[in-house]
Each structure stands twice: as structure tokens, then as C-alpha cells.
Amino acid sequence: MSIGRVPPGPRRRPSARVLLDRLGRADRQAFDRVASARLPGLEYVLPRLSRLADHGVLWFTTAGVLGLGRRTRPRRAALRGALAIAAASPAVNIVGKQAFRRKRPVVDLVPPIRIRWKPPTSHAFPSGHSASAAAFATGVALEASPLVAAPVAVLAAAVAFSRVYTGAHYPGDVLAGVGIGVLAGFGTRLVWPARPPAARVSRTESEQAQVNEDGRGLVAVVNPGSGDGSAGILPSNAELAVSLLELELPAAEIVRIEPDEDVDKVFERAAERASVLGVVGGDGTVNVGARAALKHDVPLLVVPGGTFNHFAKAHGVNDPREAVAAYRNGQVGRVDVAYVAPASAPDEEQIFLNTASFGAYTELVDRRERLERRLGKWPATAVAAVRTLRHSEPVEVVMDGREHRVWLAFIGNCAYGARGAAPSWRKRLDDGRLDVRVVATGRRVPRVRAVVAVVVGHLPLIPGYRAWRAGGLELATPDGALRLARDGEVSSLPGAVRVGKHPRALRVLRSAEGS
């Protein structure tokens, strides 16, 4: 009787402990390879870069540089990057390091020239420097253009590698830190959604504006009072925009609105002789220009010259230079126009391109305008906001046949992306919908919760908050009058009105991004 070999049994899977041991050995071997590597020149650069990143100094300095300019996207990128660091740093230093308590590497193989850092006393896993670098780079990438995001990403990668190169961390520490940083960067979108560089607008390849390199045929109407120039000490945004237009488009006709002139008539006359109607000013001035452009069917060029410039930024024109580029590009996009019309006179439409509001917001604007000459715009806004939140009472209104007591109502032209009290960006300008957000309350408004909700930009915190999308809306008030703010300008309307849309009615010269 021959005895054969015993058949092999089932292969046992390695235990978690064995896997950790294998990963640890691989991690130490990778560290030894980097420690023994000779990279000429980097032994002078990387240690200094690593020290510069201590306590986030490198990233907060970069954020400060990005925030110096007038462009919105770099400033938003800087803020999102800083917020990501604020989330990643405690996750690593308070939670991660205390949970794992891994010792720092032995630096026998690291050349002394690289060890220019004071030996850290904290635990090694995960790497705090790498987490901050990845968090900042991810935050910037979510907002900025590739020309800005790419150098920041390269810098972050260099900082992460320097932590291994100088002997401060094992590669596994760095990889874990990078992962936490990336998650923190994307996590900022939960509280602050990333906005697109430009909202989508409808277009056809054949629709092109009649433009000239020197600006001939462009009639630009300017509201000299728009912008943030204070008391004549500094030039306003509108005046700075005009200077650029005169330099870049010398043949364009510039029309300044005088203090006692009828603004509607100025735009009417300009639109009659323009191949492209330009408007330099804030959202209220743009609203008037849009009415003239609609009536005379000419393309509208929006040149940011106000304080907020919501409509210009929505379709990708963030500053006057981008407006000049949009003019020379000549590509026309079509955007929706929303309107409010009295039920008794449906032809008397009053348009809005951004938002219409009633309730507490109109009270705030009324109070601000009364205080603005004495205090200035921003102090007046702050004082008016406090007084409104303390004293505002709900408005009795019937919306689509249902009675409500409305404390705050927001109606957006197209769907807005943020959920705050004054959302500021949209993915599309041609969706044919109204974005309706209402805070309908009982007899008393919960003041403290309302203040918190408005400050943090999260209206759903207030009881009675509702939001929906609609193609139209019927409003009626028992007292026979409705105070309504359209694109920041307040007016009185009859007690029964209809809010509706004209899809893709307005032609605008769009940026290359707004497609």
C-alpha cells in the first residue's frame, strides 16, 4: 500500500495583523529608498519648502496672494482652500495622531544636509503637512482655473514629498495625510457648494453680433454712481470700467447718465442707434439696459461696474477686461427674462434678471436707503439688517390661491445653486423656471433662529421654510399693494400680480465659458 501525498488544504488568508506587518515593512523600505536617493539640488530646496509649510504659513500666504486681485474665482479659491485646511488640520492632529501614535522614522540614512528641521515631538501618522497641502490644493482646484490650480497642486505635491525626503514621515504617513486633505477639500462643498465658472446659456453657432475691433457700433451707457468708490475719494468701479473701454475700444460711444436724466430714455435713445448696447453699472442699471435691448432687439454687453454685478458674473463676465473679450468674441447667448405684471394690466411687465423679493428684504432696502447718505452703503446695510430682523412683521399674501403669512420671499430667475438667504449663482440662465423660496410663519417670527439662518446662509433652519420650482406664480395681498424688490430696486405694485418668464428672450454677449 503506497502512501500518497496529503492533498493541500484550503489556503488561509493572512490575518489583519499580518497585513499590517507587511504594509509596515513596505513602508519602511520605501522610506529607506527615498532616504538614500540622491537628487542634486533638491537637498537645498525641499527642506526649506518643508519648513515654510509649518503651521500652514505657506498656504495662508498663497491664499493672501490669491485674494489680492479683483477677480472672484481666485478669491473664492483662496477661501475654500483655507476652509479645507481648517477641517483637515484637527482631523489629523487631534484625531488621527492620537489614535495611531506611530513613532517618527529613524533618520540614520538621511543625509544631515536635509535635516534642517527641529525634530517634531508629535506622532507621525498621518502627516499634518501633507493633509494641509492636499486640502488647500483641492479647495483651490474646485474654484480656480487650471492656470492657478496646477501650480498650487505641484507645490502641494512637493511639500508632501519633502516630508519623506527630510525624514519627518514615512510614505504611508504622507499618503494618509493626502487622503484626509482631499476629503476635507471636497467636504467643503457640503456647507459651501462650488459654483460653476459661468452659467449655461442657449446659443446657436450662426448667431453672431456685429462687432468691430475698435468698438465701432457699440454704444455703452454708464451709470457713474455705480460701484464702491467712496465719497469721490476713489474712482468708482464704473469709472474704472469706462477707462478700460476708452483704451481698448476707442471708437465705442460712451454715454454717461446725468443725475437729473430719465434713465429709461437714455437707454432707449442709445439702443436705437447701437449694433450692440453696452451697460456699465450694477444690477439695477443692467435691468434698465435689458429692457431697452429687449424692446429694440439688440445684443446686450454687460460691463461689471457695480458693487455685486450678479448678472454679469452669472454668465461669466467677472470684470471689464472679460467684457471687452466677450465683445470681441461676438458670440451671442440667449437667457431667460422673468417679469412681474399687474393682474389688471398684464402688458405692463416689470422685468428682473436675477431675483425678486418681498417681505423682510424690501424693508431692509427701504431702511438702508434712508440711512445711506448719512452712514455710507455698508454701515447703512448693517444697521438696516439689524433693525429689520428685530422689527419686521410677516406680510399677508395669497400665493397661487393659498393664504400665507410670509416673512421672507425670494423668487429667482432660473434655479439657484445655494440654499442661503441671498443665493448668488446659477448653473443655467435658460431653464424656463422660477426658483421660489418662502419663509411662511405664524403670528411671531422666531427671531434668534431667523438671525442664525440668515447669517449662516441656511434658510431651512427657519420653521415654515418652503422651496419649489415653477413656471409662473400668482400673488395677491388683502391691503391692495405689494412692495417688491427687483434686482435690488424696490417699487410698489398693485395687490394682485403675476410672476412669469420669457424663455431665452434676451440676447447677451457671453464669455467663452458661458456655453
Side-chain angles (χ1 to χ4, degrees):
M1 178 178 177
S2 62
I3 301 176
R5 290 192 304 172
V6 177
R11 301 180 66 179
R12 296 178 62 187
R13 294 182 180 180
S15 65
R17 185 72 179 178
V18 173
L19 285 176
L20 288 176
D21 289 341
R22 290 179 181 176
L23 289 174
R25 286 196 298 273
D27 201 16
R28 289 188 291 272
Q29 290 171 2
F31 175 82
D32 291 343
R33 290 194 186 96
V34 174
S36 59
R38 297 293 183 266
L39 303 174
L42 293 184
E43 65 269 17
Y44 299 101
V45 176
L46 292 180
R48 290 175 172 82
L49 185 63
S50 181
R51 291 192 63 182
L52 187 60
D54 287 350
H55 309 295
V57 171
L58 174 62
W59 309 120
F60 291 121
T61 302
T62 305
V65 172
L66 292 176
L68 288 176
R70 299 174 65 91
R71 291 175 177 252
T72 301
R73 290 181 67 186
R75 292 201 300 267
R76 288 176 60 89
L79 180 56
R80 188 177 295 280
L83 289 175
I85 291 177
S89 184
V92 168
N93 294 307
I94 297 177
V95 180
K97 290 183 182 294
Q98 299 306 316
F100 292 96
R101 296 179 174 271
R102 188 183 193 186
K103 292 182 179 180
R104 297 276 175 172
V106 177
V107 294
D108 294 347
L109 294 178
V110 181
I113 194 174
R114 301 185 200 168
I115 308 175
R116 296 171 178 254
W117 44 273
K118 184 179 179 180
T121 58
S122 62
H123 301 291
F125 185 91
S127 167
H129 283 67
S130 303
S132 294
F136 187 80
T138 303
V140 169
L142 289 173
E143 295 286 352
S145 68
L147 291 177
V148 174
V152 173
V154 171
L155 192 61
V159 168
F161 178 72
S162 75
R163 301 306 288 170
V164 182
Y165 189 71
T166 58
H169 286 283
Y170 292 105
D173 306 337
V174 169
L175 292 176
V178 168
I180 293 172
V182 171
L183 288 175
F186 280 103
T188 61
R189 301 178 72 166
L190 298 176
V191 294
W192 187 26
R195 64 180 294 173
R200 179 186 180 278
V201 299
S202 297
R203 65 186 180 92
T204 57
E205 296 297 333
S206 60
E207 199 163 12
Q208 193 83 2
Q210 181 182 342
V211 298
N212 294 283
E213 186 67 22
D214 60 359
R216 189 172 62 259
L218 169 65
V219 181
V221 180
V222 183
N223 182 356
S226 295
D228 56 2
S230 46
I233 299 174
L234 298 173
S236 68
N237 289 343
E239 291 168 340
L240 293 173
V242 168
S243 299
L244 181 66
L245 288 180
E246 291 174 337
L247 177 66
E248 296 286 340
L249 304 171
E253 180 184 351
I254 307 295
V255 179
R256 290 176 171 81
I257 302 172
E258 299 299 329
D260 56 346
E261 279 191 293
D262 186 316
V263 177
D264 287 280
K265 289 184 178 178
V266 173
F267 273 104
E268 284 280 335
R269 292 193 294 266
E272 288 174 354
R273 61 181 183 273
S275 56
V276 173
L277 177 63
V279 52
V280 184
D283 288 308
T285 309
V286 172
N287 184 296
V288 182
R291 292 202 299 265
L294 283 168
K295 181 177 180 180
H296 294 275
D297 193 28
V298 295
L300 185 70
L301 174 67
V302 182
V303 184
T307 304
F308 298 112
N309 308 304
H310 290 310
F311 183 70
K313 292 176 181 177
H315 66 279
V317 179
N318 294 287
D319 57 46
R321 289 191 180 278
E322 291 186 1
V324 171
Y327 171 79
R328 287 179 171 153
N329 189 35
Q331 292 188 355
V332 174
R334 289 186 172 270
V335 303
D336 291 358
V337 175
Y339 67 86
V340 183
S344 58
D347 294 334
E348 297 178 6
E349 296 178 356
Q350 298 188 24
I351 70 169
F352 60 95
L353 302 177
N354 300 307
T355 64
S357 301
F358 62 91
Y361 181 74
T362 56
E363 295 182 31
L364 185 151
V365 174
D366 287 336
R367 287 189 171 99
R368 184 194 70 194
E369 290 179 348
R370 290 195 295 268
L371 297 168
E372 195 167 336
R373 289 188 178 180
R374 290 188 288 121
L375 302 179
K377 185 169 186 176
W378 294 111
T381 301
V383 173
V386 172
R387 292 180 179 177
T388 299
L389 290 169
R390 288 181 59 190
H391 303 295
S392 178
E393 294 296 333
V395 177
E396 300 279 355
V397 64
V398 178
M399 305 179 68
D400 285 341
R402 299 184 64 181
E403 295 183 1
H404 299 277
R405 291 177 56 81
V406 175
W407 183 65
L408 180 65
F410 164 96
I411 306 170
N413 176 31
C414 301
Y416 277 75
R419 294 177 289 180
S424 58
W425 60 269
R426 291 161 277 187
K427 289 185 178 180
R428 296 180 60 178
L429 294 176
D430 62 350
D431 65 6
R433 310 295 285 173
L434 297 172
D435 186 340
V436 186
R437 308 179 188 198
V438 175
V439 178
T441 72
R443 182 60 56 180
R444 292 184 60 81
V445 178
R447 303 289 176 184
V448 175
R449 191 181 296 185
V451 171
V452 172
V454 171
V455 169
V456 304
H458 201 68
L459 282 182
L461 292 174
I462 308 177
Y465 173 79
R466 289 185 59 216
W468 69 94
R469 310 280 165 79
L473 186 65
E474 303 282 349
L475 301 175
T477 57
D479 59 5
L482 178 66
R483 291 283 286 168
L484 190 78
R486 295 173 299 104
D487 293 338
E489 304 294 325
V490 179
S491 60
S492 294
L493 295 170
V497 300
R498 171 174 173 76
V499 187
K501 296 271 293 204
H502 293 303
R504 303 170 179 82
L506 178 65
R507 294 194 291 158
V508 296
L509 291 184
R510 62 181 184 85
S511 73
E513 293 177 325
S515 58

